[in-house]
Amino acid sequence: MAHLMEKIEQLLGIPVYFAIDEKSMPKGSGAFLEEESPFFSAPFLVRLLLERGNCQELPVVYKDENNVFFICVRGKKGFYLSGPICTEELDHADLRKFYEYYGISAEDRRHPAKMSLFRILTFASVIHELQSGAPVEMEEIQKANALADLAEAEMERDDMQLEIQKLDDDLYHHTYQEERYILECVAQGRPSEAKKRMDAILDSAGILSSKKKNHYRNLAVSIVTVSTREAIMNGVSPAKAYRLSDIFVNRIDQCTKTEELEEYCRRVIYEFAKLVADQKAEKTAANYTEQCKDYIYKNYNRKIYLENIAAAIGISTGHLSRVFRQDMGMSIQEYIQKFRVERAANLLKYSEASLTEISDYVCFHSQSHFGSAFKRYMKMTPKQYRDTYKKKEFRSQ
């Protein structure tokens, strides 16, 4: 976890500290000077954040009176603290006021990291998800911290700025339908089609930074995020999806060329769609096993041939045998024999039928074969089993 937090610090330029409780000093990676951090100069700030963190399951995103944000996320053994972060540039007077408020000397004053409220909320949700394994929507964090109105105002301001930029540059922003089409390709496990469609709209993607390299870096990370969620929603285990997500985020972080980042936008879509396709193939294979078991359940009291099961399911006998053994840890014939013994055991307990009648009914070709198979699975003969387990009310009067 500490290693991942260091990566986040390097990627976003925001310090992340860990505090066990309000009495202990926060600990960080050492990448940022403690003299510059309000967490070390203002214990009241740490107390305030930890008190809120103790009362709130979701991440705390606290906006102080200087319009500066701090984050507190409750972990299993303590609290993760991050900040300060601004959504707007502070002028010289506001910066001085902010640092005087937290008792930081003039020589240690550096402007806090600046990012949008959306990214602050995303950052908080990432820390929460890393420590708890449970995804959380940014709207939930907004609501928990009473930031919905602020987020709406920021969105309106950003929309206006983008609109002006669009008018100036005559830019084209890809439509929601096109985005959904690509994600549907991921959801349905169509990697080639997803990559092809991504090629078509890559140049028209929304502006995520005024710098081209940063734009493609942010775009690639965004694609990783939505593709991960789409894959999980369509049957991929969270462990597999997040493992692939971590690999891509680390590689994107190490990219130094715009062309490489642009290529990752395509690769991410392709690999996540392929992950879904592989999962669907595994599920289909598992479904063959369930169909085979269902066939046995319906026909256990008559002769069963492997060829007939395979024909009923619609696959080859060899493939069915391999899939069934992989899923169940035994051959189909072993499963049939075990199933017949289990049905015979029920008849021994709850019916008056003779051992011979039961043996014939569950389709054992001889009494001796029935006896040996029964003893193999039940560790006693059919007669011993009946004498031991037959319910009193079912015994002959």
Side-chain angles (χ1 to χ4, degrees):
M1 189 65 179
H3 177 69
L4 287 173
M5 290 304 168
E6 285 184 33
K7 288 287 187 182
I8 291 174
E9 284 185 339
Q10 295 169 8
L11 183 64
L12 299 179
I14 304 172
V16 180
Y17 302 99
F18 181 79
I20 297 175
D21 53 41
E22 60 185 54
K23 296 179 181 179
S24 62
M25 289 294 290
K27 295 181 180 179
S29 66
F32 293 83
L33 296 175
E34 293 181 1
E35 300 82 32
E36 299 176 352
S37 173
F39 293 130
F40 293 90
S41 62
F44 69 87
L45 174 64
V46 176
R47 285 196 301 272
L48 184 151
L49 291 172
L50 265 58
E51 285 173 4
R52 293 195 179 187
N54 267 320
C55 300
Q56 183 171 305
E57 191 69 28
L58 295 177
V60 173
V61 180
Y62 167 66
K63 180 187 176 187
D64 71 7
E65 63 182 37
N66 303 293
N67 294 324
V68 177
F69 291 82
F70 296 89
I71 294 170
C72 176
V73 179
R74 187 169 68 192
K76 296 177 181 177
K77 298 182 179 179
F79 300 83
Y80 294 94
L81 304 171
S82 185
I85 313 168
C86 298
T87 57
E88 295 182 7
E89 197 79 14
L90 299 179
D91 61 27
H92 183 72
D94 288 336
L95 191 62
R96 185 179 70 251
K97 179 183 174 184
F98 166 72
Y99 278 116
E100 285 177 354
Y101 182 78
Y102 290 108
I104 296 176
S105 63
E107 56 267 26
D108 293 324
R109 295 173 186 173
R110 186 176 65 172
H111 197 286
K114 179 177 175 290
M115 62 175 62
S116 67
L117 179 58
F118 176 82
R119 292 191 71 189
I120 293 174
L121 295 170
T122 303
F123 181 38
S125 72
V126 167
I127 298 176
H128 175 81
E129 194 162 337
L130 283 173
Q131 62 83 28
S132 70
V136 59
E137 296 296 333
M138 281 167 288
E139 290 79 8
E140 297 177 54
I141 302 177
Q142 284 180 22
K143 186 177 180 181
N145 293 281
L147 296 172
D149 291 342
L150 184 64
E152 185 175 348
E154 182 179 86
M155 190 176 293
E156 288 178 358
R157 185 186 69 233
D158 291 343
D159 283 349
M160 182 60 68
Q161 291 174 348
L162 274 177
E163 202 61 37
I164 293 170
Q165 187 172 357
K166 286 180 183 179
L167 290 172
D168 290 342
D169 301 332
D170 193 26
L171 293 175
Y172 167 74
H173 194 293
H174 69 282
T175 65
Y176 173 74
Q177 287 78 11
E178 288 173 319
E179 179 184 310
R180 282 309 313 164
Y181 183 87
I182 292 175
L183 291 179
E184 282 173 12
C185 290
V186 174
Q188 295 167 12
R190 294 180 285 160
S192 298
E193 192 172 347
K195 182 176 180 294
K196 183 178 179 182
R197 192 66 183 179
M198 193 68 205
D199 289 341
I201 71 163
L202 199 54
D203 291 335
S204 60
I207 305 166
L208 301 179
S209 174
S210 57
K211 296 180 180 179
K212 190 174 182 181
K213 183 160 56 174
N214 289 343
H215 161 74
Y216 278 110
R217 188 185 305 278
N218 294 337
L219 180 60
V221 172
S222 299
I223 294 170
V224 171
T225 302
V226 296
S227 297
T228 301
R229 296 271 176 91
E230 202 69 34
I232 292 172
M233 287 170 59
N234 286 276
V236 175
S237 72
K240 282 186 180 179
Y242 285 124
R243 190 180 302 118
L244 185 59
S245 171
D246 290 344
I247 290 171
F248 274 124
V249 168
N250 284 323
R251 289 180 180 176
I252 290 165
D253 183 34
Q254 294 170 16
C255 280
T256 57
K257 296 181 181 179
T258 302
E259 296 77 14
E260 292 176 346
L261 292 166
E262 188 176 350
E263 181 57 31
Y264 268 117
C265 293
R266 299 182 178 90
R267 284 191 60 189
V268 167
I269 285 290
Y270 180 88
E271 292 298 333
F272 273 99
K274 186 174 182 298
L275 196 63
V276 174
D278 292 344
Q279 177 62 30
K280 288 182 182 295
E282 288 179 16
K283 188 175 180 181
T284 299
N287 191 41
Y288 290 148
T289 297
E290 291 305 314
Q291 290 183 64
C292 181
K293 288 163 66 177
D294 184 60
Y295 184 97
I296 293 167
Y297 174 78
K298 293 175 180 177
N299 297 278
Y300 73 90
N301 59 343
R302 66 189 73 179
K303 288 186 180 296
I304 298 176
Y305 297 99
L306 180 59
E307 293 78 6
N308 294 344
I309 304 176
I313 296 174
I315 60 173
S316 70
T317 56
H319 184 49
L320 176 59
S321 296
R322 285 192 299 273
V323 169
F324 192 92
R325 182 178 285 277
Q326 182 178 345
D327 290 345
M328 299 301 297
M330 66 179 75
S331 70
I332 294 174
Q333 290 303 324
E334 286 175 315
Y335 181 85
I336 292 171
Q337 189 175 84
K338 182 174 181 291
F339 187 85
R340 285 172 170 163
V341 166
E342 289 169 352
R343 303 305 291 181
N346 280 336
L347 292 171
L348 288 167
K349 281 198 294 185
Y350 300 116
S351 81
E352 295 296 335
S354 68
L355 270 58
T356 302
E357 289 171 330
I358 292 173
S359 172
D360 290 342
Y361 179 75
V362 296
C363 210
F364 279 96
H365 59 75
S366 70
Q367 186 70 26
S368 61
H369 184 213
F370 172 54
S372 62
F374 195 94
K375 191 169 184 178
R376 175 186 173 194
Y377 290 106
M378 297 302 179
K379 310 305 179 188
M380 63 180 73
T381 67
K383 184 179 184 307
Q384 289 170 335
Y385 187 89
R386 169 166 271 178
D387 292 342
T388 303
Y389 294 107
K390 185 169 177 59
K391 299 294 183 183
K392 184 178 180 181
E393 62 267 27
F394 287 95
R395 294 185 186 276
S396 299
Q397 299 299 321

